[in-house]
Amino acid sequence: MKVVLFCGGYGMRMRNGPADDVPKPMQLVGPRPLLWHVMRYYAHFGHRDFVLALGYGARHIKDFFLTYTETASNDFVLHNGQVELLSTDISDWSITFVHTGIESPIGERLRRVREYVAGEEMFLANYADVLTDAPLDTMIDTFAASDAGASMMVVPPQSSFHCVELEGGPDSGASRVRSISSASRLPVWENAGFFVLRQEVFDHLPENGDLVEDACGTLAEKGRLLAYPYRGFWQPADTFKERAALDAAYESGERPWMLWEKRRTAGTNG
C-alpha cells in the first residue's frame, strides 16, 4: 500500500533562527530524522512505497536519501576496506519525491500527488512528524472492512492543562467552580495524523483546501469518516521540547515506536 507523507511545512516552532531552513521532518531523533522513524514504522508493517509531498526545505530531504549511509543504523563487517552490511534500512523501499509547493496546505499537497496514488483502492497518509506504536495492520483491516471514504487515528487530548466547569456562564462574573478535570479525561479526541484513505477523498478536496477540515469534514457530515481511537504511545514533535523528549527516550533505550527494533531483537534471541 502506498504511503503519502506530507513533508513541506515550515516547522517554525522547531527552527533555531532565520538561517535554519531544515524542515520539521528532518529534525533528529537519535542519529536519524523524524521522517526516517515514520517511514521505518510503515515499512515494519510491509508498506514500503512512499510518496513524499515536498515543500519548504525539500533539498534537505532529497540530500538525506541521495547520500544515505546504511552504516549509521545497521551492523556491518569491514574487511579489506569493503563494507558488508549485516542488515539494511531502505534497500527495498521505493521513494517518489514530488515538490508540492512552498505555501500549499495539506489538502493541496495531497491533490498534487494524486497521480502517484491513482489506481490504489486504499492508500495511507501521514504528517511525518508524529511517532506511535499503534497497530497499523489492525487500523487498516478495520477500515477495509468498512465502506467509509477515509479513516483517521484519534487520541485523547494531549494538553496537561486542567479544564474548569463553572456553575454560571462565562460572562456572569465570579462563579463557583462545579468541577475540575484533566483535559485528557474529557470525552473528546484529537486527530492523531495517521490516515487510511480511499480515492473518494479527492472528491471533497477543493483547490488549496485542507485534508481534515474540508475532505474529512465533508465525509463526516455524510457519515463516511471512520475514527480509530488509540490510547497507547503517541508523541508529536511540534516543538523543541517534544522533539527533545523523543530524543531522550531514544538515548535511554525506551523507544516504543521502534517496533522494527523489537522484531530484530526477538529474531536475535530466537
Side-chain angles (χ1 to χ4, degrees), residues 7-76:
C7 309
Y10 284 100
M12 295 298 292
R13 287 180 292 180
M14 298 284 284
R15 294 169 63 185
N16 293 310
D20 181 3
D21 65 342
V22 177
K24 182 165 54 174
M26 292 304 294
Q27 298 292 331
L28 295 180
V29 174
R32 297 296 198 191
L34 272 165
L35 177 60
W36 178 89
H37 289 270
V38 173
M39 295 171 78
R40 283 300 304 267
Y41 169 80
Y42 281 102
H44 170 76
F45 290 98
H47 308 289
R48 303 181 179 92
D49 193 344
F50 300 98
V51 179
L52 304 188
L54 305 176
Y56 177 81
R59 67 180 181 86
H60 291 283
I61 297 174
K62 293 177 180 179
D63 289 346
F64 173 74
F65 287 105
L66 289 174
T67 60
Y68 191 83
T69 304
E70 291 272 17
T71 53
S73 52
N74 290 286
D75 296 335
F76 61 94

Side-chain angles (χ1 to χ4, degrees), residues 64-135:
F64 173 74
F65 287 105
L66 289 174
T67 60
Y68 191 83
T69 304
E70 291 272 17
T71 53
S73 52
N74 290 286
D75 296 335
F76 61 94
V77 176
L78 182 62
H79 180 67
N80 291 333
Q82 299 296 314
V83 173
E84 177 187 347
L85 289 168
L86 299 180
S87 59
T88 65
D89 295 331
I90 70 171
S91 61
D92 58 349
W93 293 5
S94 173
I95 309 175
T96 302
F97 299 81
V98 185
H99 204 292
T100 56
I102 299 296
E103 303 290 343
S104 301
I106 296 295
E108 181 61 22
R109 295 193 191 284
L110 183 57
R111 275 170 36 91
R112 295 187 184 189
V113 301
R114 182 175 185 175
E115 65 180 287
Y116 302 102
V117 295
E120 299 287 316
E121 178 188 356
M122 299 185 298
F123 62 97
L124 307 170
N126 190 283
Y127 293 144
D129 62 0
V130 179
L131 303 180
T132 188
D133 63 354

Side-chain angles (χ1 to χ4, degrees), residues 106-254:
I106 296 295
E108 181 61 22
R109 295 193 191 284
L110 183 57
R111 275 170 36 91
R112 295 187 184 189
V113 301
R114 182 175 185 175
E115 65 180 287
Y116 302 102
V117 295
E120 299 287 316
E121 178 188 356
M122 299 185 298
F123 62 97
L124 307 170
N126 190 283
Y127 293 144
D129 62 0
V130 179
L131 303 180
T132 188
D133 63 354
L136 181 63
D137 47 0
T138 302
M139 194 186 319
I140 293 172
D141 290 344
T142 302
F143 177 68
S146 76
D147 66 347
S151 172
M152 63 164 61
M153 190 171 88
V154 295
V155 295
Q158 301 300 298
S159 172
S160 60
F161 292 106
H162 289 87
C163 295
V164 179
E165 183 180 3
L166 305 179
E167 288 186 350
D171 299 322
S172 60
S175 301
R176 293 185 181 274
V177 174
R178 180 177 299 169
S179 64
I180 298 177
S181 59
S182 170
S184 62
R185 295 185 178 181
L186 293 176
V188 295
W189 297 82
E190 291 184 3
N191 166 27
F194 287 76
F195 300 90
V196 189
L197 306 172
R198 287 191 167 100
Q199 294 293 322
E200 181 183 351
V201 71
F202 291 108
D203 298 336
H204 307 294
L205 268 179
E207 184 175 353
N208 289 318
D210 184 73
L211 171 59
V212 175
E213 292 188 8
D214 292 315
C216 290
T218 300
L219 287 169
E221 292 174 359
K222 296 176 178 291
R224 298 191 50 74
L225 178 66
L226 191 69
Y228 183 86
Y230 187 63
R231 293 185 178 274
F233 177 82
W234 179 86
Q235 177 64 58
D238 286 328
T239 65
F240 279 112
K241 181 178 179 180
E242 291 171 341
R243 202 241 5 122
L246 287 171
D247 196 45
Y250 179 93
E251 295 299 335
S252 72
E254 295 296 325

